[in-house]
Short mmCIF file of all heavy atoms in Angstrom, two decimals:
data_model
loop_
_atom_site.label_atom_id
_atom_site.label_comp_id
_atom_site.label_asym_id
_atom_site.label_seq_id
_atom_site.Cartn_x
_atom_site.Cartn_y
_atom_site.Cartn_z
N LEU I 453 31.22 108.05 -104.29
CA LEU I 453 31.01 108.60 -105.64
C LEU I 453 32.12 108.16 -106.57
O LEU I 453 31.89 107.87 -107.75
CB LEU I 453 30.93 110.13 -105.58
CG LEU I 453 29.71 110.69 -104.84
CD1 LEU I 453 29.79 112.20 -104.73
CD2 LEU I 453 28.42 110.27 -105.56
N ARG I 454 33.33 108.09 -106.06
CA ARG I 454 34.47 107.63 -106.86
C ARG I 454 34.22 106.21 -107.35
O ARG I 454 34.39 105.87 -108.50
CB ARG I 454 35.73 107.67 -106.00
CG ARG I 454 36.88 108.38 -106.66
CD ARG I 454 38.17 108.48 -105.84
NE ARG I 454 38.22 107.85 -104.56
CZ ARG I 454 38.26 108.52 -103.41
NH1 ARG I 454 38.22 109.84 -103.41
NH2 ARG I 454 38.34 107.87 -102.26
N LYS I 455 33.77 105.39 -106.41
CA LYS I 455 33.55 103.98 -106.69
C LYS I 455 32.40 103.77 -107.69
O LYS I 455 32.48 102.93 -108.58
CB LYS I 455 33.21 103.27 -105.37
CG LYS I 455 33.18 101.77 -105.49
CD LYS I 455 34.29 101.18 -104.65
CE LYS I 455 34.27 99.67 -104.74
NZ LYS I 455 35.48 99.09 -104.14
N ALA I 456 31.35 104.56 -107.53
CA ALA I 456 30.16 104.38 -108.37
C ALA I 456 30.39 104.85 -109.79
O ALA I 456 29.79 104.34 -110.74
CB ALA I 456 28.98 105.12 -107.76
N GLY I 457 31.25 105.81 -109.98
CA GLY I 457 31.50 106.35 -111.31
C GLY I 457 30.21 106.85 -111.92
O GLY I 457 29.43 107.55 -111.28
N SER I 458 29.95 106.48 -113.19
CA SER I 458 28.71 106.94 -113.83
C SER I 458 27.85 105.74 -114.22
O SER I 458 27.22 105.72 -115.27
CB SER I 458 29.05 107.79 -115.06
OG SER I 458 29.98 107.10 -115.88
N ASP I 459 27.86 104.73 -113.37
CA ASP I 459 27.14 103.49 -113.68
C ASP I 459 25.63 103.57 -113.43
O ASP I 459 24.89 102.72 -113.88
CB ASP I 459 27.70 102.33 -112.83
CG ASP I 459 29.09 101.92 -113.29
OD1 ASP I 459 29.53 102.45 -114.34
OD2 ASP I 459 29.71 101.09 -112.62
N PHE I 460 25.19 104.58 -112.69
CA PHE I 460 23.78 104.59 -112.29
C PHE I 460 23.09 105.87 -112.74
O PHE I 460 23.41 106.96 -112.28
CB PHE I 460 23.68 104.44 -110.77
CG PHE I 460 24.34 103.18 -110.27
CD1 PHE I 460 25.69 103.18 -109.90
CD2 PHE I 460 23.63 102.00 -110.21
CE1 PHE I 460 26.30 102.03 -109.45
CE2 PHE I 460 24.24 100.83 -109.76
CZ PHE I 460 25.57 100.84 -109.39
N GLU I 461 22.14 105.73 -113.64
CA GLU I 461 21.46 106.91 -114.20
C GLU I 461 19.96 106.69 -114.28
O GLU I 461 19.30 107.15 -115.20
CB GLU I 461 22.02 107.22 -115.60
CG GLU I 461 23.48 107.68 -115.63
CD GLU I 461 23.72 109.03 -114.95
OE1 GLU I 461 22.72 109.77 -114.75
OE2 GLU I 461 24.87 109.33 -114.61
N ASN I 462 19.38 105.97 -113.34
CA ASN I 462 17.94 105.72 -113.38
C ASN I 462 17.15 106.96 -112.99
O ASN I 462 17.68 107.88 -112.38
CB ASN I 462 17.58 104.59 -112.41
CG ASN I 462 18.08 103.27 -112.90
OD1 ASN I 462 19.28 103.12 -113.13
ND2 ASN I 462 17.18 102.32 -113.08
N SER I 463 15.87 106.95 -113.33
CA SER I 463 14.99 108.01 -112.89
C SER I 463 14.52 107.71 -111.47
O SER I 463 14.21 106.57 -111.14
CB SER I 463 13.78 108.12 -113.81
OG SER I 463 12.83 108.98 -113.22
N VAL I 464 14.49 108.74 -110.63
CA VAL I 464 14.12 108.51 -109.22
C VAL I 464 12.95 109.39 -108.80
O VAL I 464 12.61 109.45 -107.62
CB VAL I 464 15.32 108.76 -108.28
CG1 VAL I 464 16.42 107.75 -108.57
CG2 VAL I 464 15.86 110.17 -108.43
N VAL I 465 12.33 110.06 -109.77
CA VAL I 465 11.33 111.08 -109.44
C VAL I 465 10.22 110.56 -108.54
O VAL I 465 9.81 111.22 -107.60
CB VAL I 465 10.74 111.69 -110.73
CG1 VAL I 465 9.61 112.66 -110.38
CG2 VAL I 465 11.84 112.42 -111.51
N GLY I 466 9.73 109.35 -108.81
CA GLY I 466 8.61 108.85 -108.01
C GLY I 466 9.01 107.91 -106.89
O GLY I 466 8.17 107.25 -106.30
N SER I 467 10.30 107.86 -106.56
CA SER I 467 10.78 106.91 -105.56
C SER I 467 10.30 107.26 -104.15
O SER I 467 9.88 108.38 -103.88
CB SER I 467 12.31 106.87 -105.55
OG SER I 467 12.79 106.48 -106.79
N GLU I 468 10.41 106.26 -103.30
CA GLU I 468 10.13 106.52 -101.88
C GLU I 468 11.46 106.56 -101.12
O GLU I 468 12.41 105.88 -101.49
CB GLU I 468 9.28 105.39 -101.31
CG GLU I 468 7.81 105.54 -101.63
CD GLU I 468 6.98 104.46 -100.96
OE1 GLU I 468 7.46 103.86 -99.98
OE2 GLU I 468 5.87 104.24 -101.45
N LEU I 469 11.45 107.35 -100.07
CA LEU I 469 12.67 107.46 -99.25
C LEU I 469 12.51 106.65 -97.98
O LEU I 469 11.42 106.63 -97.39
CB LEU I 469 12.91 108.93 -98.88
CG LEU I 469 13.24 109.89 -100.04
CD1 LEU I 469 13.16 111.33 -99.56
CD2 LEU I 469 14.61 109.60 -100.60
N SER I 470 13.57 106.00 -97.57
CA SER I 470 13.54 105.35 -96.26
C SER I 470 13.50 106.43 -95.19
O SER I 470 13.78 107.59 -95.46
CB SER I 470 14.79 104.49 -96.08
OG SER I 470 15.92 105.32 -95.98
N LYS I 471 13.17 106.03 -93.99
CA LYS I 471 13.12 107.00 -92.88
C LYS I 471 14.45 107.76 -92.76
O LYS I 471 14.48 108.99 -92.65
CB LYS I 471 12.81 106.25 -91.58
CG LYS I 471 12.99 107.05 -90.31
CD LYS I 471 11.73 107.85 -89.99
CE LYS I 471 11.81 108.47 -88.60
NZ LYS I 471 12.54 109.75 -88.62
N ALA I 472 15.55 107.02 -92.78
CA ALA I 472 16.86 107.65 -92.61
C ALA I 472 17.15 108.61 -93.75
O ALA I 472 17.64 109.72 -93.53
CB ALA I 472 17.94 106.58 -92.53
N SER I 473 16.82 108.22 -94.98
CA SER I 473 17.08 109.10 -96.13
C SER I 473 16.19 110.33 -96.07
O SER I 473 16.63 111.45 -96.34
CB SER I 473 16.81 108.35 -97.44
OG SER I 473 17.63 107.22 -97.55
N HIS I 474 14.94 110.10 -95.75
CA HIS I 474 13.99 111.22 -95.62
C HIS I 474 14.54 112.27 -94.65
O HIS I 474 14.59 113.46 -94.96
CB HIS I 474 12.65 110.68 -95.13
CG HIS I 474 11.59 111.72 -94.95
ND1 HIS I 474 10.58 111.93 -95.86
CD2 HIS I 474 11.39 112.63 -93.96
CE1 HIS I 474 9.80 112.91 -95.44
NE2 HIS I 474 10.27 113.35 -94.28
N ASP I 475 14.97 111.80 -93.48
CA ASP I 475 15.49 112.73 -92.47
C ASP I 475 16.74 113.46 -92.94
O ASP I 475 16.92 114.65 -92.67
CB ASP I 475 15.81 111.97 -91.17
CG ASP I 475 14.53 111.52 -90.46
OD1 ASP I 475 13.44 111.93 -90.88
OD2 ASP I 475 14.66 110.76 -89.48
N LEU I 476 17.61 112.73 -93.64
CA LEU I 476 18.84 113.35 -94.13
C LEU I 476 18.54 114.43 -95.17
O LEU I 476 19.10 115.52 -95.13
CB LEU I 476 19.76 112.29 -94.73
CG LEU I 476 20.62 111.53 -93.74
CD1 LEU I 476 21.22 110.29 -94.38
CD2 LEU I 476 21.74 112.42 -93.20
N VAL I 477 17.64 114.13 -96.11
CA VAL I 477 17.30 115.12 -97.13
C VAL I 477 16.65 116.33 -96.48
O VAL I 477 17.01 117.47 -96.76
CB VAL I 477 16.35 114.53 -98.20
CG1 VAL I 477 15.92 115.62 -99.18
CG2 VAL I 477 17.02 113.39 -98.95
N PHE I 478 15.72 116.06 -95.57
CA PHE I 478 15.03 117.17 -94.93
C PHE I 478 16.01 118.08 -94.19
O PHE I 478 15.96 119.30 -94.30
CB PHE I 478 13.97 116.67 -93.95
CG PHE I 478 13.25 117.79 -93.26
CD1 PHE I 478 12.31 118.54 -93.94
CD2 PHE I 478 13.57 118.14 -91.96
CE1 PHE I 478 11.68 119.62 -93.33
CE2 PHE I 478 12.95 119.21 -91.34
CZ PHE I 478 12.00 119.95 -92.03
N LYS I 479 16.93 117.45 -93.46
CA LYS I 479 17.89 118.26 -92.69
C LYS I 479 18.75 119.13 -93.61
O LYS I 479 18.97 120.31 -93.34
CB LYS I 479 18.79 117.36 -91.84
CG LYS I 479 19.69 118.15 -90.89
CD LYS I 479 20.36 117.27 -89.87
CE LYS I 479 21.40 118.03 -89.05
NZ LYS I 479 20.80 119.03 -88.14
N THR I 480 19.21 118.57 -94.70
CA THR I 480 20.07 119.37 -95.60
C THR I 480 19.27 120.49 -96.26
O THR I 480 19.79 121.58 -96.46
CB THR I 480 20.73 118.51 -96.68
OG1 THR I 480 19.73 117.83 -97.40
CG2 THR I 480 21.68 117.51 -96.09
N LEU I 481 18.00 120.23 -96.58
CA LEU I 481 17.20 121.30 -97.18
C LEU I 481 17.02 122.46 -96.22
O LEU I 481 16.78 123.60 -96.63
CB LEU I 481 15.82 120.78 -97.62
CG LEU I 481 15.78 119.77 -98.77
CD1 LEU I 481 14.35 119.47 -99.17
CD2 LEU I 481 16.58 120.27 -99.97
N CYS I 482 17.13 122.18 -94.94
CA CYS I 482 16.98 123.24 -93.93
C CYS I 482 18.25 124.05 -93.73
O CYS I 482 18.25 125.08 -93.04
CB CYS I 482 16.57 122.64 -92.59
SG CYS I 482 14.89 122.01 -92.58
N PHE I 483 19.36 123.58 -94.30
CA PHE I 483 20.65 124.22 -94.04
C PHE I 483 20.68 125.71 -94.42
O PHE I 483 21.12 126.54 -93.61
CB PHE I 483 21.77 123.45 -94.75
CG PHE I 483 23.16 123.83 -94.33
CD1 PHE I 483 23.48 124.00 -93.00
CD2 PHE I 483 24.15 124.01 -95.28
CE1 PHE I 483 24.78 124.35 -92.61
CE2 PHE I 483 25.45 124.36 -94.90
CZ PHE I 483 25.76 124.53 -93.56
N PRO I 484 20.24 126.09 -95.63
CA PRO I 484 20.29 127.52 -95.97
C PRO I 484 19.52 128.40 -94.99
O PRO I 484 20.00 129.46 -94.58
CB PRO I 484 19.67 127.57 -97.38
CG PRO I 484 19.94 126.22 -97.95
CD PRO I 484 19.80 125.28 -96.78
N GLY I 485 18.34 127.94 -94.60
CA GLY I 485 17.55 128.71 -93.65
C GLY I 485 18.24 128.80 -92.30
O GLY I 485 18.23 129.83 -91.63
N PHE I 486 18.87 127.69 -91.92
CA PHE I 486 19.63 127.66 -90.68
C PHE I 486 20.77 128.67 -90.73
O PHE I 486 21.01 129.43 -89.79
CB PHE I 486 20.17 126.24 -90.46
CG PHE I 486 21.25 126.14 -89.42
CD1 PHE I 486 20.93 126.13 -88.08
CD2 PHE I 486 22.59 126.09 -89.80
CE1 PHE I 486 21.94 126.07 -87.12
CE2 PHE I 486 23.59 126.03 -88.85
CZ PHE I 486 23.26 126.01 -87.51
N LEU I 487 21.47 128.70 -91.87
CA LEU I 487 22.60 129.63 -92.02
C LEU I 487 22.13 131.08 -91.92
O LEU I 487 22.83 131.94 -91.38
CB LEU I 487 23.31 129.41 -93.35
CG LEU I 487 24.14 128.14 -93.44
CD1 LEU I 487 24.71 127.99 -94.86
CD2 LEU I 487 25.28 128.15 -92.43
N GLU I 488 20.94 131.32 -92.44
CA GLU I 488 20.40 132.68 -92.37
C GLU I 488 20.20 133.08 -90.91
O GLU I 488 20.50 134.20 -90.51
CB GLU I 488 19.08 132.73 -93.14
CG GLU I 488 18.75 134.12 -93.66
CD GLU I 488 17.47 134.12 -94.50
OE1 GLU I 488 17.27 133.18 -95.30
OE2 GLU I 488 16.69 135.08 -94.35
N ASP I 489 19.69 132.14 -90.11
CA ASP I 489 19.54 132.40 -88.67
C ASP I 489 20.90 132.64 -88.00
O ASP I 489 21.04 133.50 -87.14
CB ASP I 489 18.85 131.22 -87.98
CG ASP I 489 17.37 131.12 -88.37
OD1 ASP I 489 16.83 132.11 -88.90
OD2 ASP I 489 16.78 130.04 -88.16
N VAL I 490 21.88 131.83 -88.40
CA VAL I 490 23.23 131.96 -87.85
C VAL I 490 23.77 133.36 -88.14
O VAL I 490 24.36 134.02 -87.29
CB VAL I 490 24.16 130.90 -88.45
CG1 VAL I 490 25.61 131.22 -88.13
CG2 VAL I 490 23.81 129.52 -87.92
N LEU I 491 23.54 133.81 -89.36
CA LEU I 491 24.02 135.12 -89.77
C LEU I 491 23.35 136.21 -88.95
O LEU I 491 24.02 137.09 -88.42
CB LEU I 491 23.71 135.33 -91.26
CG LEU I 491 24.15 136.68 -91.82
CD1 LEU I 491 25.66 136.70 -91.98
CD2 LEU I 491 23.47 136.97 -93.14
N LYS I 492 22.04 136.11 -88.82
CA LYS I 492 21.31 137.15 -88.10
C LYS I 492 21.74 137.21 -86.64
O LYS I 492 21.75 138.28 -86.04
CB LYS I 492 19.81 136.90 -88.20
CG LYS I 492 19.29 137.29 -89.58
CD LYS I 492 17.80 137.04 -89.74
CE LYS I 492 17.37 137.44 -91.15
NZ LYS I 492 16.18 136.71 -91.62
#
Side-chain angles (χ1 to χ4, degrees):
Chain I
L453 293 175
R454 230 179 3 250
K455 190 115 179 169
S458 50
D459 289 353
F460 302 90
E461 294 294 343
N462 290 57
S463 169
V464 296
V465 175
S467 300
E468 279 184 21
L469 295 168
S470 68
K471 169 86 171 84
S473 301
H474 180 101
D475 289 352
L476 277 165
V477 175
F478 179 75
K479 187 169 172 69
T480 56
L481 292 186
C482 290
F483 193 44
F486 165 79
L487 287 176
E488 206 177 319
D489 290 343
V490 167
L491 179 74
K492 285 179 180 154

